[in-house]
Amino acid sequence: MTQMEEERLKLTEIQTLEGHTDRVWGLAWNPSTGADGVPAVLASCSGDKTVRIWQQRSPSSTSFDCKAVLEDRHNRTVRSCAWSPSGKQLATASFDATTAIWEQNGDDFECVSTLEGHENEVKSVSWNASGSLLATCSRDKCVWIWEVLPGNEYDCVSVLQGHTQDVKMVQWHPKVDVLFSCSYDNTIKVWAEDGDSDDWSCVQTLGESSSGHSSTVWALSFNETGDKMVTCSDDLTIKVWGVDIERLLSGDGTGSWRHLCTMSGYHDRTIFSVHWSREGIIATGAADDAIRLFSESEDHSVDEPSYRLLLKKEKAHGMDINSVQWSPTANRLLASASDDGTIKIWKLE
Amino acid sequence: MASVSLSHHHFNVLRLPANLKMVDDIRDPEHPYSLEQLSVLSEDSITVDDKLGRILITFTPTIQHCSMANVIGLCIRVKLKDCVPSHYKVDIKVAPGSHADEEAVNKQLNDKERVAAAMENPNLRQLVDECLHSREL
């Protein structure tokens, strides 16, 4: 984008999705939709204990309709949801300490499996790039890794201990089976399988001594190539980290992430969500009801990239924003979820 | 001491009844403490910024017991929800220097995910409800 193009950018509100009767905590775009004539599908999860599925009326339409309400399964807040890479299954993580796996059957969704094991609230769920593994994390300080087996069977392959507090989010790397978690203990941990023993362990901890965050880390997101990740925190900053991607892909260097940049002074309340678009735009959702977009600056060195604020959408919602998610397929389409019980669809143009 | 008026800010008067009873489930339930005995909340404990829509409440726990500070904080939050417009941001902290684990307590009191989960916990919910609705014996 040229500077002139950047200055003209605005985030246009397409639609407000209403229906949830409590705050909306999480969002997930179905990756097998939103392109090639397939209408985009979005899942949302809420404090009302349900998950809603929203579908674009037609590929060219800007309207979304609620196609399904997944209820009567979780008996507490549903905190996070994630589609499998094939788009055929949806995992939902709940404060009821379980993770449910759903499959579409005609117009309905049915719960085909329930993952139990965490001692208390499950905060996040994530599928790896191939869909062969699932990860969950909880206030019980643990991260669980599950193997996906035929017939909707899920086997726990590892219970990872290491965080000293509530684990807020887990996210698999987009290219390799390396798992990332972030926590109330202010750190980000990197987990990988030991080549020989197939045991999972923590290969790196990014804490204050690595130029890390000084309060709860709420979320993390990778760029398209996976050589960078961005994290957001209660410490009012977002941080960008980098890795030697060649080394990471070859199996070496899983634990050599380093701090690249801290963006401070832009947020004055907790940042709950951060998401990196395929095009390279970082979106944040914060407790000041605003959405902010950042992009990498043109003039910088490879070793020290810098980012600038592209746009600030104040009063994007009437209350805290809990999640922002770029569509992985539809161009410049962004969804946001809020304590106000609504989801908004935005177009960056 | 336990009554604070926010009437000059044109929302309902916030009054924490002086006879609020708190039962410490670790101690003897036969000896409930009143909120008055457990914490101090005075007129200068509340700072309101109408322009930004922010409220800061500080309270002084008189008993150095971590779990009580968290329950008091929850009670205050629940009580406020009834009389403060939903778009206000509420931060609740222990008065500086009033608690041994001040930072840890403040962090938990203001982690809204933790607060939400606590309020879904039937035991904690019951404790909070009892505190807010109990009557003088």
Side-chain angles (χ1 to χ4, degrees), chain B residues 53-117:
Chain B
R54 312 252 164 111
I55 296 174
L56 171 64
I57 301 215
T58 56
F59 68 96
T60 307
T62 54
I63 294 174
Q64 296 275 326
H65 193 303
C66 195
S67 65
M68 295 316 285
N70 281 298
V71 180
I72 295 167
L74 276 180
C75 287
I76 294 172
R77 222 175 250 289
V78 171
K79 186 70 192 170
L80 277 178
K81 219 174 142 185
D82 289 339
C83 52
V84 164
S86 62
H87 67 273
Y88 273 79
K89 311 286 181 189
V90 178
D91 292 317
I92 301 176
K93 298 189 173 180
V94 291
S98 70
H99 197 285
D101 288 321
E102 185 177 324
E103 250 187 67
V105 172
N106 286 340
K107 190 175 184 181
Q108 199 169 322
L109 285 179
N110 295 291
D111 179 318
K112 78 173 185 201
E113 188 189 62
R114 294 291 282 263
V115 171

Side-chain angles (χ1 to χ4, degrees), chain A residues 77 79 184 289 320 322, chain B residues 89 107 111-113 120:
Chain A
T77 287
R79 177 64 179 89
Y184 185 102
D289 315 345
D320 289 10
N322 299 316
Chain B
K89 311 286 181 189
K107 190 175 184 181
D111 179 318
K112 78 173 185 201
E113 188 189 62
E120 286 187 351

Side-chain angles (χ1 to χ4, degrees), chain A residues 33-93:
Chain A
T33 69
D36 304 326
V38 180
V41 170
L42 177 69
S44 62
C45 58
S46 168
D48 67 12
K49 306 171 193 165
T50 75
V51 175
R52 279 176 181 255
I53 310 293
W54 312 85
Q55 186 174 46
Q56 221 174 6
R57 213 164 275 174
S58 74
S60 53
S61 164
T62 51
S63 296
F64 282 78
D65 300 311
C66 182
K67 300 299 278 187
V69 180
L70 280 47
E71 54 195 343
D72 299 327
R73 172 58 202 75
H74 288 300
N75 51 38
R76 295 210 189 164
T77 287
V78 188
R79 177 64 179 89
S80 158
C81 53
W83 295 94
S84 61
S86 68
K88 293 200 169 76
Q89 297 190 317
L90 179 70
T92 59

Side-chain angles (χ1 to χ4, degrees), chain A residues 1 3-14 279 281 291-293 310-314 326 331-334 345-349:
Chain A
M1 264 191 290
Q3 195 170 331
M4 259 181 64
E5 284 168 352
E6 280 192 357
E7 278 162 13
R8 287 215 192 96
L9 281 179
K10 43 185 180 67
L11 206 56
T12 306
E13 189 178 321
I14 302 283
E279 204 190 349
I281 301 173
I291 294 172
R292 290 169 178 79
L293 303 182
L310 213 51
L311 191 158
K312 177 185 178 189
K313 188 75 178 180
E314 281 185 23
W326 292 101
N331 195 32
R332 294 191 174 179
L333 201 66
L334 180 74
I345 310 292
W346 310 84
K347 180 84 175 161
L348 181 64
E349 51 193 11

